[in-house]
Amino acid sequence: MSIIPHSFYFRHSISVSEIKAIPRKRGQLLKLPESALIPDLSFKAKTAHWGEIRLSWNDNGLGISLEVRQKQHPTTDAEYVQIWIDTRDTKTIHRANRYCHLFKFRPVANAQNPSQPDCVQLTINRAQADAPQSDLSKIQLWSKIKSTGYNLEAWIPATELTGFDPGSYPQMGFYYTIFDSELGEQFMTVDHEFPVGQDPSLWATMRLEA
């Protein structure tokens, strides 16, 4: 049996459709369709895949949604998803640059206010240059806590993603990890055995298509 994960043998490139009507002004922030679902690229058993990420965009920014299922215990402030974005999709570098962003989203900001999600921007380890700090007050969030999991949605305006320019650069690097205090960790492709948190060449390519 190979010790190299199957996903490592592929250069993943995924089409991401434009949705002009997001973010929505009332109710649920994004409500992305099934067609926006990022397929499971880890090639693991379906039962191990308990979180789903959906992605869409328009000229004004990027929409990300997460649904976590299979939980038997309440959602706490320990749950989070981390999102890496490279607005230039540079696959020839192994250290992040100013176009590489890392955000951490939580469906529950604190136990006293379980309906309030939050977001922070983190620096990327060993980066050649850090991305400019985003104005987090401009990032819109929505969450819904359920008995078996939760939904979390985020809208990142184009102004808060350095280099985001779909007209000139219609591809971006993208990677995620989901952490749950009950279910464990879920990775987009390969896991922490590879330096996915700091090497943009290991991230998948998202093709921003109209």
Side-chain angles (χ1 to χ4, degrees):
M1 183 176 68
S2 174
I3 62 173
I4 304 297
H6 295 155
S7 186
F8 185 75
Y9 293 106
F10 298 87
R11 286 290 184 116
H12 302 285
S13 180
I14 301 170
S15 173
V16 178
S17 298
E18 179 184 18
I19 298 180
K20 295 183 181 296
I22 57 174
R24 301 173 187 273
K25 295 181 179 180
R26 295 181 180 179
Q28 189 172 344
L29 185 63
L30 302 175
K31 205 173 184 179
L32 298 182
E34 188 76 19
S35 59
L37 177 66
I38 295 178
D40 178 14
L41 303 176
S42 66
F43 301 107
K44 293 185 177 180
K46 189 174 182 180
T47 54
H49 192 77
W50 39 263
E52 290 186 346
I53 293 281
R54 301 186 186 199
L55 197 63
S56 191
W57 70 281
N58 57 45
D59 289 337
N60 297 318
L62 185 68
I64 304 165
S65 76
L66 164 65
E67 181 178 9
V68 168
R69 302 177 305 276
Q70 302 182 24
K71 286 180 68 62
Q72 298 180 10
H73 301 292
T75 299
T76 72
D77 54 7
E79 275 61 276
Y80 64 83
V81 57
Q82 292 194 136
I83 302 290
W84 287 260
I85 298 168
D86 175 8
T87 57
R88 289 294 187 266
D89 190 34
T90 309
K91 290 295 186 283
T92 57
I93 61 174
H94 297 283
R95 293 173 61 187
N97 58 28
R98 67 189 304 268
Y99 299 109
C100 299
H101 309 70
L102 171 57
F103 296 98
K104 179 179 179 179
F105 301 96
R106 293 189 300 172
V108 174
N110 59 72
Q112 287 71 39
N113 191 0
S115 63
Q116 182 62 44
D118 73 353
C119 168
V120 295
Q121 183 179 358
L122 305 174
T123 57
I124 298 176
N125 187 37
R126 298 186 67 248
Q128 296 175 346
D130 294 328
Q133 182 63 40
S134 302
D135 183 350
L136 299 181
S137 67
K138 295 182 180 179
I139 296 178
Q140 300 181 51
L141 302 171
W142 175 91
S143 68
K144 181 178 181 180
I145 310 303
K146 300 180 289 187
S147 60
T148 57
Y150 64 87
N151 293 88
L152 173 64
E153 296 185 346
W155 172 258
I156 309 176
T159 56
E160 308 314 310
L161 286 171
T162 299
F164 185 79
D165 183 2
S168 300
Y169 299 93
Q171 294 188 167
M172 70 177 190
F174 187 85
Y175 184 83
Y176 71 79
T177 63
I178 311 169
F179 175 81
D180 188 272
S181 57
E182 175 189 349
L183 301 170
E185 284 187 283
Q186 181 177 304
F187 302 88
M188 182 175 182
T189 55
V190 294
D191 59 25
H192 291 319
E193 292 182 356
F194 297 84
V196 289
Q198 62 191 39
D199 186 346
S201 71
L202 297 174
W203 305 347
T205 292
M206 303 285 111
R207 305 189 314 274
L208 307 180
E209 299 179 351

